[in-house]
Amino acid sequence: MKILTSFFLALSLLCSAQKKYVLVIHGGAGTITKENMTPEKEKAYKDKLTEALKAGYAEIQKGKTSVDAVQSAIVVMENSPLFNAGKGAVFTHEGRNELDASVMYGKNKSAGAVAGVQTIKNPIKAAIAVMQKSEHVMLSAKGAEEFAKEQKLEIVDPKYFWTQDRWNGLQKALEKEKLKKATTQNKKPHYLEIDQKFGTVGAVALDKEGNITAGTSTGGMTNKRWNRIGDSPVIGAGTYANAQVGISGTGWGEFFIRSTAARTVAAKMEYQHKDVKTATQEVIAEIGKMGGDGGLIALDKNGNIAMEMNTAGMYRGAITDKGEIEVEIYK
């Protein structure tokens, strides 16, 4: 009986090891704990992550490219007020929503990004348009919006991005800033006080041709000032893809930029021959040592994934080539 049990255990481990993932997504990392989550909110997040996975998977099943899969998955999350991207974007110090996004196609390392946009409904679509229809990699602010209009992308009134939850978040941050302004005890300048729950969204897809695409979209940091840009639209920091692997990050952007987080994962795999999980874990550990926090998702050419974080939780999920869905929130 023991031999039979051991056989089935080994078989089950072998089957799980042979899973081939075709899409992995994240919806932000931070102080996300079960104690602070209502059952209704938890269900809402899990349902939306599942919807995003299904949307991206449907593109892959139709034989579309990994670019199409990433776009579809991210658009679902950009259109939801649950995440800090698109509709749910956080507010700047001045009470505006400034959005960033980027995409990279691993096959030829083409890339596109937009930063500081205020009227593009789905910034990920603009990033893809920059990659596919311009000679540039990154466009910002008014210029990016003008380009998006020329590409017939949906333009909205900035009021579209206003949500009560994010507005309340800004008011809390401003109140905290007032209280702390009088003291010099802060380790970091008051304008970098961060909302401890990040909601940046991202996706990495592997299509039937074996090509990888990574994409990331965000509203940035609550109470950010001076048109601050984080890591999400920076190729090599928040997003990176080559023929071997694709990576998308979420967290305290300044540290992801300084550690060139996404590219470093790929470099560890390419030059040190690390597997995707080890490479991702090492980069997150490095960010932690620097004083930053957040998470990274990665998907390699063989369908192996990593979803690593140094925070209490990260909204995340993955789907296999057989359509099996996995969604997680807590560490």
Side-chain angles (χ1 to χ4, degrees), residues 195-271:
D195 174 17
Q196 285 301 106
K197 184 170 71 59
F198 305 96
T200 294
V201 307
V204 187
L206 173 66
D207 62 31
K208 290 184 176 180
E209 299 298 316
N211 296 317
I212 299 169
T213 298
T216 312
S217 180
T218 189
M221 189 181 277
T222 298
N223 198 28
K224 63 185 179 180
R225 300 181 76 177
W226 306 305
N227 304 120
R228 174 262 188 192
I229 304 294
D231 64 306
S232 295
V234 179
I235 298 301
T239 304
Y240 189 78
N242 59 20
Q244 187 178 20
V245 66
I247 306 102
S248 173
T250 172
W252 195 342
E254 279 68 15
F255 292 91
F256 281 68
I257 293 171
R258 286 162 56 193
S259 62
T260 57
R263 169 61 187 152
T264 301
V265 171
K268 282 177 178 288
M269 293 177 68
E270 186 175 352
Y271 302 119

Side-chain angles (χ1 to χ4, degrees), residues 92-106:
T92 67
H93 181 77
E94 296 77 19
R96 295 191 298 264
N97 306 101
E98 295 175 358
L99 296 82
D100 313 320
S102 67
V103 68
M104 189 165 186
Y105 182 48

Side-chain angles (χ1 to χ4, degrees), residues 1 13 52 91 97 124 166-167 197 238 243 250 258 305 308:
M1 187 66 180
L13 286 169
F91 285 90
N97 306 101
I124 191 63
R166 300 305 189 191
W167 184 253
K197 184 170 71 59
T250 172
R258 286 162 56 193
I305 59 166
E308 301 299 322

Side-chain angles (χ1 to χ4, degrees), residues 19-326:
K19 275 185 182 177
K20 182 182 178 182
Y21 294 90
V22 292
L23 179 65
V24 57
I25 63 173
H26 69 73
T31 49
I32 306 160
T33 60
K34 200 160 182 73
E35 301 80 63
N36 296 329
M37 184 81 70
T38 64
E40 294 77 20
K41 201 167 186 182
E42 182 176 304
K43 183 179 184 302
Y45 273 107
K46 286 186 172 178
D47 286 352
K48 195 53 69 174
L49 290 167
T50 299
E51 184 187 335
L53 286 167
K54 285 180 176 177
Y57 181 71
E59 300 290 353
I60 292 167
Q61 286 298 95
K62 287 187 275 191
K64 297 282 192 70
T65 69
S66 52
V67 176
D68 297 312
V70 162
Q71 175 177 287
S72 289
I74 289 180
V75 162
V76 167
M77 294 186 282
E78 283 181 338
N79 290 347
S80 167
L82 291 172
F83 306 99
N84 175 20
K87 179 65 181 167
V90 297
F91 285 90
T92 67
H93 181 77
E94 296 77 19
R96 295 191 298 264
N97 306 101
E98 295 175 358
L99 296 82
D100 313 320
S102 67
V103 68
M104 189 165 186
Y105 182 48
K107 184 180 181 181
N108 59 10
K109 293 185 181 173
S110 58
V114 293
V117 299
Q118 297 178 52
T119 63
I120 301 171
K121 185 182 180 186
N122 294 109
I124 191 63
K125 289 185 178 181
I128 291 168
V130 172
M131 176 176 75
Q132 294 178 338
K133 297 174 181 178
S134 85
E135 64 270 38
H136 304 303
V137 170
M138 185 187 288
L139 302 181
S140 69
K142 298 293 180 191
E145 291 171 349
E146 188 182 327
F147 174 77
K149 279 181 194 169
E150 286 180 13
Q151 299 306 317
K152 305 288 190 282
L153 296 182
E154 189 171 355
I155 303 298
V156 294
D157 187 295
K159 289 176 187 169
Y160 164 81
F161 301 107
W162 196 97
T163 60
Q164 189 68 55
D165 192 42
R166 300 305 189 191
W167 184 253
N168 292 346
L170 174 63
Q171 304 318 305
K172 281 180 194 168
L174 291 172
E175 196 57 42
K176 192 188 278 188
E177 186 175 275
K178 271 185 199 170
L179 293 170
K180 291 193 174 181
K181 221 166 187 179
T183 178
T184 55
Q185 300 303 307
N186 292 323
K187 288 184 182 175
K188 52 185 178 287
H190 64 82
Y191 58 83
L192 279 183
E193 285 295 334
I194 53 171
D195 174 17
Q196 285 301 106
K197 184 170 71 59
F198 305 96
T200 294
V201 307
V204 187
L206 173 66
D207 62 31
K208 290 184 176 180
E209 299 298 316
N211 296 317
I212 299 169
T213 298
T216 312
S217 180
T218 189
M221 189 181 277
T222 298
N223 198 28
K224 63 185 179 180
R225 300 181 76 177
W226 306 305
N227 304 120
R228 174 262 188 192
I229 304 294
D231 64 306
S232 295
V234 179
I235 298 301
T239 304
Y240 189 78
N242 59 20
Q244 187 178 20
V245 66
I247 306 102
S248 173
T250 172
W252 195 342
E254 279 68 15
F255 292 91
F256 281 68
I257 293 171
R258 286 162 56 193
S259 62
T260 57
R263 169 61 187 152
T264 301
V265 171
K268 282 177 178 288
M269 293 177 68
E270 186 175 352
Y271 302 119
Q272 298 180 341
H273 310 294
K274 301 274 174 77
D275 63 83
V276 67
K277 196 169 180 65
T278 304
T280 309
Q281 284 172 337
E282 287 180 0
V283 173
I284 281 293
E286 182 191 341
I287 286 168
K289 282 178 194 166
M290 291 168 69
D293 54 4
L296 285 165
I297 58 169
L299 171 63
D300 74 16
K301 64 180 181 181
N302 299 315
N304 301 305
I305 59 166
M307 298 188 283
E308 301 299 322
M309 75 208 86
N310 63 359
T311 52
M314 176 167 72
Y315 301 112
R316 62 201 186 277
I319 188 166
T320 69
D321 57 349
K322 304 283 193 298
E324 298 163 322
I325 290 173
E326 298 166 17

